[in-house]
Amino acid sequence: MIPDFLLAELPESMIRVLRDNPEGYVIFLDIETEGLSRERNGITVLGTMARGRYRAFVAGFNLEKGAEFLAAYPVWVTFGGTRFDLPFLRARFPALPPPLLHIDLEHLYRRLGYRGGLKKLEERFGLVRNTRGLTGYDAVKLWQRWKRERDRAALRRLLLYNREDVTNLKPLLERAGRMLKGFTERNLRSRGGAIAG
């Protein structure tokens, strides 16, 4: 599941474990927030996919438990997490230890020559969404409707949007791994930018 060159910096024992049983050590995650400023806006939803199961941690319900859940996994997979998810998580949970390995699929796909966000890649590779057309800005508005009106339909829609963001990370990682079979670490590094955050 994880391209070999990304494992190169890890201890040999962890490399063996991740090759034999990645499901037990890898978590896919995506956050929704009140806005773009980590100083002024909080996390509303932390969505995770681990061992094939989606789990949401929601502000006002169980968000605090999200940090403990994340800390149990040494490998985190995000899309754009280097610039967005991880800084927000550090601001909200300063005691949360960083992952042993963070794979940012946005950087990985850039190395492979693909530009654009998660939704663009999903369309390109035929990944289907029930929330097609919704954006991060819509996620903020859905949260506002939930907070202001206690609109349960808005909260359900927000959680579905987040679930689809998280669920599509795994097939994108697997596709990248297949595409990378013909590349070497040197080929990728020569294209510039970081792959793992």
Side-chain angles (χ1 to χ4, degrees), residues 35-42 83-84 86-88 91-92:
L36 297 177
S37 170
R38 65 180 177 267
E39 290 81 24
R40 294 190 310 272
N41 304 127
R83 63 178 165 72
F84 190 74
L86 270 60
F88 267 91
R92 181 65 184 81

Side-chain angles (χ1 to χ4, degrees), residues 38 42-43 59 63-64 67 86-96:
R38 65 180 177 267
I43 296 172
L63 184 59
E64 299 306 313
L86 270 60
F88 267 91
L89 287 166
R90 277 193 295 270
R92 181 65 184 81
F93 304 111
L96 176 64

Side-chain angles (χ1 to χ4, degrees), residues 26 85 126:
V26 177
D85 304 71

Side-chain angles (χ1 to χ4, degrees), residues 57-137:
F57 300 91
V58 181
F61 291 96
N62 62 348
L63 184 59
E64 299 306 313
K65 294 181 179 175
E68 185 181 332
F69 191 69
L70 277 181
Y73 292 87
V75 180
W76 299 359
V77 181
T78 67
F79 192 96
T82 303
R83 63 178 165 72
F84 190 74
D85 304 71
L86 270 60
F88 267 91
L89 287 166
R90 277 193 295 270
R92 181 65 184 81
F93 304 111
L96 176 64
L100 193 59
L101 174 64
H102 169 223
I103 301 171
D104 189 330
L105 292 175
E106 183 178 39
H107 295 173
L108 195 53
Y109 272 91
R110 274 201 191 134
R111 276 298 195 343
L112 290 166
Y114 295 92
R115 296 284 182 255
L118 176 62
K119 313 299 184 296
K120 187 173 178 181
L121 283 174
E122 289 171 344
E123 277 188 35
R124 181 178 189 103
F125 298 124
L127 296 172
V128 179
R129 275 183 171 260
N130 291 315
T131 58
R132 186 175 178 176
L134 283 187
T135 66
Y137 180 61

